[in-house]
Amino acid sequence: MLTAPLRRPRPSRLQEPLKLEGKLAKGMAALGLDTVGDLLEHLPRDQREARTIAALRVGEQATVAVEVRSIAGRSVHRRGMRGIVEASVFDETGSMIATFFNQPWLVKRYPGGTRLVLHGSIDARARFRVAHHAVGSEVGSSAAVHAVAHYPAGEGVSSTQILTLVRGVRERLSDIVEPLATGVRVAESLPDRAAALGAMHFSDSAHEREAARRRLAFEELLLAQLALLLRRRRHGECSRAPALADPPTLSSRWLERGLPFQLTGDQRGAIETIAKELGRSSPMQRLLMGEVGSGKTVVALYAMLRAVEHGAQAALMAPTETLAEQHFATLQRLMGDEPVTMALLTGSTTTARREAALGRLKTGELSMVVGTHALIEPDVSFRGLAVAIIDEQHRFGVRQREALDAKGSPHMLHMTATPIPRTLALTRYGDLDRSVLRELPRGRQAIETRIVSGEREREEAYQRLREQLQAGRQAYVVCPLVEAPPEDVQDRVYGDSATLGGSSSVEASASSTVDGSQARAATAEFERLRRGALAGWRLALLHGQMRPREKQEAMAAFAKGEAQVLVATTVIEVGVDVPNATIMLVENAERFGISQLHQLRGRVGRGEHRSTCLLIGPPGSARLKALARHSDGFRLAEIDLWLRKEGELIGSRQSGMGRFKVASLPEDAALLERARAWAQEILDHDPQLSGPAHALLGNALELAYGEQAKRPIAA
Ligand code: ADP
Ligand code: MG
């Protein structure tokens, strides 16, 4: 023990600038690597990504060691593109085409016979899109992949140069501080931070490197959980919502007499939990998840009525006008003849009506308001907003939700029909409590889902559709965008890690370009069907570019059964409720995401009749097959997560705790659960992270999430 070197970290020494010159200095600065500490934290790529060609999976980031057989460039006629280089490459398990973008000089640099290490992903057409590349040594061995320790590199700096620099500062690892309390580290059998960083850079043992990776991932997840839990505590402590604790009057009367059906067990459970939380003065922050048709609106209305019977106000915000109108109609229907004042506020509300509504909201004369973003405009103010519901909450940004919160610090219920797997719920919504409606209202039937490919099957599909119409039922025909908009193509070409051959229509559906081409597609399809396969039946058209009045008319015609077929874009994804509709045909289904298709499919199977969903698309599509196999939205969400990887499910519009440097979800799900448990435990004992065991952890948290992350009371 006496001879063991005494480690006394001096973290300030990590701030010393790297002494570099010329191109290298510039390149490193561009990578954000300025100090010794930056360099030590710049980790090589995940070794678990090393693969053979045979083991590559579509859409998954991986690294392969290959040899070039032949290479050639080709020009591309698209602005901003400097051509594509295609190399035929192989290892001992197979061969493939690797594609390099905008680097025409590689044709000369990587002639046949060159050994390369490539990082990227393979697309559905079996082309490997290269994001990073370096000259390698032995082909096909994972040792080769590691020997080049491919660091994320950049202009003027190669991965090899970075490795040399890291070697040069190796002894400075002793200045790395340990933010984890010894108790946590021992209980989780994690190496200390300096050892972990050392192993990531220099160890030849895959086992050691994985232990090191786990340790760094754990720390990252722990910090994220601490930040989320602290945010939630802060919100609970410093905001005050009206405590709605008086005995129920209107709400119980409504529950007992007003409903035309029995609540499901899950609905009852959610209502009970919500009632309890509304009774407290710390604002409820709850996420209500439930499949399409699981009956979330009833739960929401209950919460709103609790506000109303206390003389306070309630608001429901939905992402689209169609949906807001639907909700407004549903609430009016569900309220029956209870005397509750209610208004609708959207972008197309006339100025006169809007002004009247705003006035009545301010005086408190209006108890309930349903609307779109129009609700969070600065001139909207409430006399006493006690409950706010946000439907399809993932379609709103953080700032929009905050804007609603600012209208009176209400109890908040966020609703979503997209089942969110636990890993995502913990990372992205770790500051919300959750209620789930799993049980579908009685009488709902599973929807038969089939993939339809080729002309003959398409004809059969139309035949089935006509049979349903003949039997008095109704049908949906859904069209996605026909052509990907140019931005989308560019993203796929230039982006590296976040690309996956499939569609990004979930995110893209917000953009007007997409909606424009969707509208065109739906209009063309409407004409085609009216003249062809569905001639003689009554068709209606619905897309986002129609005027609000036209939209309303189309929806109303379909709801009343006047129109038998609704040809539509994804506008119908949410909110449309026509129990008599029993068949849905989705064109180009492979262009939709799994959860979007699942939501779409939820438009049928809402009544007593057996329903069918026909997905027109390639028979081999993993996503379509998943839909045909599974009806459980949670199961589908898990599959989606595996296919798309964390972060893309909800899209980039959701800011915040999304991506991690080292941790990778859902693979690290178990680690995440442990980090969550530790975060809770640590905050229970030391809510300010001020004790000696946690001071360094507190510093790390500030460093990662900003100074405000630790502050107990928001300024
Ligand atoms: P979600 O918003 O979760 O998709 P909704 O709240 O719109 O679902 O409910 C879908 C339909 O089911 C509505 O017509 C609603 O009136 C009906 N519904 C809700 N709860 C029940 C229930 N417990 N039993 C029967 N029907 C129900
Ligand atoms: Mg709904």
Side-chain angles (χ1 to χ4, degrees), residues 261-264 267 290-298 327 333-334 441-442 444 577 603 606:
F261 44 71
Q262 293 255 311
L263 293 177
T264 64
Q267 280 173 322
E291 297 236 4
V292 170
S294 59
K296 295 184 291 295
T297 316
V298 175
H327 272 307
R333 180 165 50 84
L334 283 171
R442 224 177 293 264
R444 278 302 143 71
D577 186 13
R603 299 298 110 206
R606 307 195 127 217

Side-chain angles (χ1 to χ4, degrees), residues 662-703:
V662 187
S664 140
L665 292 168
E667 295 92 326
D668 282 326
L671 207 58
L672 170 64
E673 295 283 353
R674 309 213 43 84
R676 171 76 168 191
W678 275 112
Q680 235 139 14
E681 160 101 16
I682 290 169
L683 291 179
D684 282 348
H685 290 100
D686 184 4
Q688 320 277 331
L689 297 180
S690 53
H694 301 135
L696 292 173
L697 190 60
N699 291 348
L701 187 67
E702 283 184 7
L703 215 60

Side-chain angles (χ1 to χ4, degrees), residues 317-344:
M317 181 163 77
T320 65
E321 284 192 14
T322 311
L323 196 51
E325 282 155 15
Q326 286 268 330
H327 272 307
F328 186 65
T330 308
L331 293 192
Q332 283 188 319
R333 180 165 50 84
L334 283 171
M335 284 313 301
D337 41 20
E338 291 288 356
V340 174
T341 47
M342 214 187 287
L344 176 69

